[in-house]
Amino acid sequence: MVMVTKLKNWCLGEGINESHALLTKVPQNTEVAQIEETLQTIKCLGRVRVRGRMFDESTDQILVLCECREKLTNADIPNEVLTLDESTVWPIFIVAESSSADEDFSVKLNTLLQAEGKTAEDVHALLTGSEPVPSPTESLIRAVSDLLDKAAKPATEAGGFRRLRTFSGILPTPAGEEQFDHWLEQAYMMVEVSECSPKEKRRRIMESLKGPALEVIKAVRLSDPDVSPEECLEALDSAFGMAESGDDLYFAFRLMQQQSGEKLSDFLRRLERSLSKVVQKDGLPASSMNKARIEQLLKGAVGSDLMLIQLRLRERKGNPPTFLELLREIRAEEEYEASRVQLLNLSRQGSHFYNTWKHSR
């Protein structure tokens, strides 16, 4: 196909991996942001970036070269995409070919068997004594289902959350114990995420404590035997946490800046730890966290101006994303930039070897 050939040649010229590239046609004057947002409605593409545009005289439209985060296959990618305003559709052309369904199943089955330490003979052995099945394929599917059920049982029995590490409240922190800030962060996460009862959460907290920290919780329970796990953590924070007020912590949060060589995602995590302490100390209402987070990220990320522009964070201050949404977008952009740099380096190395070979002839 002509368009596929154009796509291959364009990828070669731009140094783009053709298995992550697509070609589409859009009307003239279509903005880059509109193209990227429209294509990203196809979830299996992942993050999409426009890498080149060219006028097509035969259709009076613009040919657009795009690079996608995910690897593309004909089995997943539609032939066209509906625009955001639902007024028209754009065609989509890719280089990748769809794989055989039988080969795909075979690869997945072999991978699963290797991960479980099983062989094809083990799979057939599971069928011994069972009722006859219509075909070998259905037999394999049933056996694989049994393997998956067995593999899932330990995760269910594990309780869904690892045990908290030990904390005693003794200073300096003894070897093998957790620093209080780290321990408290894990404890709050357990309380928020775990699906067990409040009584079980309180038990998990107490079994991780000893020494002065355990004495604090014992004293709290003397006054209220049914004290909630959240109140237990608040009591420990009052006894062993930082003495700064919420206002002091908020002021320190507003002074935070990205360190030299620090990735933007790492800076965001550092901001979040500080912001969580501010909210815990009533220095800021929880409803204002998204706004404060993005404002300080824009102010303090002194080494990531280009990435902030690409993520269009300044334009989104009025409706800021949550921490997890922001972290996911930043990490995707960092991974994309890393792969882009790697491709450029490979392209330069290829050019260098070619020039060296050419001059040596």
Side-chain angles (χ1 to χ4, degrees):
M1 182 182 288
V2 176
M3 287 299 170
V4 174
T5 302
K6 285 186 178 181
L7 176 57
K8 287 184 176 181
N9 294 336
W10 207 343
C11 288
L12 186 62
E14 294 292 336
I16 296 175
N17 187 338
E18 63 183 29
S19 65
H20 289 262
L22 67 83
L23 191 65
T24 187
K25 287 184 181 181
V26 304
Q28 297 182 43
N29 301 321
T30 304
E31 298 291 337
V32 169
Q34 182 183 353
I35 298 172
E36 294 176 346
E37 289 173 5
T38 298
L39 290 172
Q40 284 173 171
T41 60
I42 305 174
K43 299 302 182 183
C44 58
L45 296 180
R47 178 63 62 85
V48 178
R49 285 286 181 263
V50 171
R51 294 306 175 196
R53 290 180 291 177
M54 181 189 305
F55 179 69
D56 183 16
E57 295 181 354
S58 62
T59 60
D60 288 332
Q61 290 184 309
I62 302 297
L63 290 177
V64 183
L65 172 67
C66 298
E67 188 173 13
C68 309
R69 181 185 177 194
E70 302 298 333
K71 188 174 182 179
L72 311 183
T73 63
N74 284 331
D76 300 323
I77 309 303
N79 294 327
E80 55 188 27
V81 60
L82 182 66
T83 56
L84 297 176
D85 59 5
E86 300 184 354
S87 62
T88 184
V89 294
W90 301 340
I92 295 178
F93 305 95
I94 65 173
V95 175
E97 298 180 356
S98 58
S99 59
S100 165
D102 292 338
E103 291 178 355
D104 189 49
F105 174 78
S106 178
V107 170
K108 291 181 179 179
L109 176 61
N110 289 332
T111 301
L112 176 62
L113 292 176
Q114 290 176 6
E116 295 296 326
K118 303 292 183 181
T119 65
E121 289 75 14
D122 296 327
V123 173
H124 288 293
L126 289 173
L127 302 174
T128 303
S130 63
E131 296 180 359
V133 291
S135 68
T137 299
E138 292 185 19
S139 300
L140 287 174
I141 292 175
R142 178 180 294 183
V144 170
S145 178
D146 292 340
L147 284 174
L148 289 174
D149 289 341
K150 292 180 179 180
K153 287 181 180 179
T156 304
E157 297 169 356
F161 202 93
R162 66 180 179 84
R163 291 182 57 183
L164 296 171
R165 295 188 64 181
T166 302
F167 173 70
S168 66
I170 298 174
L171 291 177
T173 304
E177 288 193 15
E178 193 75 272
Q179 295 282 347
F180 179 66
D181 286 348
H182 296 164
W183 181 91
L184 188 64
E185 183 178 345
Q186 290 296 314
Y188 269 117
M189 185 179 298
M190 182 274 293
V191 170
E192 293 174 5
V193 174
S194 177
E195 297 180 357
C196 59
S197 66
K199 182 177 180 180
E200 173 63 17
K201 293 177 182 178
R202 187 175 63 229
R203 185 192 66 79
R204 293 186 183 188
I205 292 173
M206 293 190 66
E207 74 178 4
S208 70
L209 302 176
K210 66 179 184 178
L214 183 58
E215 294 300 323
V216 169
I217 298 303
K218 286 182 177 179
V220 171
R221 292 200 65 197
L222 282 176
S223 59
D224 182 6
D226 296 323
V227 62
S228 69
E230 292 84 359
E231 290 172 329
C232 289
L233 297 181
E234 290 174 4
L236 290 168
D237 193 19
S238 299
F240 303 103
M242 295 181 296
E244 291 94 339
S245 67
D247 291 338
D248 293 336
L249 292 172
Y250 182 66
F251 181 74
F253 168 76
R254 283 300 191 182
L255 294 178
M256 293 181 67
Q257 285 195 334
Q258 185 179 15
Q259 298 173 354
S260 177
E262 184 180 29
K263 295 196 300 184
L264 186 60
S265 58
D266 292 335
F267 177 51
L268 175 62
R269 293 190 187 94
R270 194 158 55 87
L271 278 179
E272 189 64 17
R273 287 194 293 270
S274 176
L275 184 57
S276 297
K277 294 175 184 177
V278 172
V279 173
Q280 290 172 14
K281 290 287 186 176
D282 297 324
L284 187 74
S287 58
S288 300
M289 288 183 70
N290 290 344
K291 181 180 179 182
R293 181 188 304 113
I294 197 169
E295 287 178 350
Q296 191 56 35
L297 186 69
L298 289 168
K299 176 184 175 183
V302 294
S304 303
D305 290 339
L306 182 58
M307 187 172 294
L308 295 176
I309 292 173
Q310 292 172 333
L311 293 169
R312 297 194 294 275
L313 295 185
R314 297 189 187 278
E315 292 83 349
R316 299 161 65 188
K317 287 176 63 176
N319 185 25
T322 65
F323 167 69
L324 290 179
E325 291 171 343
L326 194 54
L327 180 61
R328 190 180 302 115
E329 291 180 19
I330 290 174
R331 289 194 62 189
E333 190 65 28
E334 287 176 341
E335 291 173 7
Y336 176 81
E337 289 300 326
S339 62
R340 177 71 172 166
V341 170
Q342 186 177 12
L343 286 172
L344 288 174
N345 289 337
L346 289 173
S347 177
R348 289 173 185 152
Q349 290 176 7
S351 298
H352 173 71
F353 289 140
Y354 173 76
N355 292 331
T356 303
W357 171 81
K358 184 177 180 180
H359 290 303
S360 65
R361 294 186 66 186

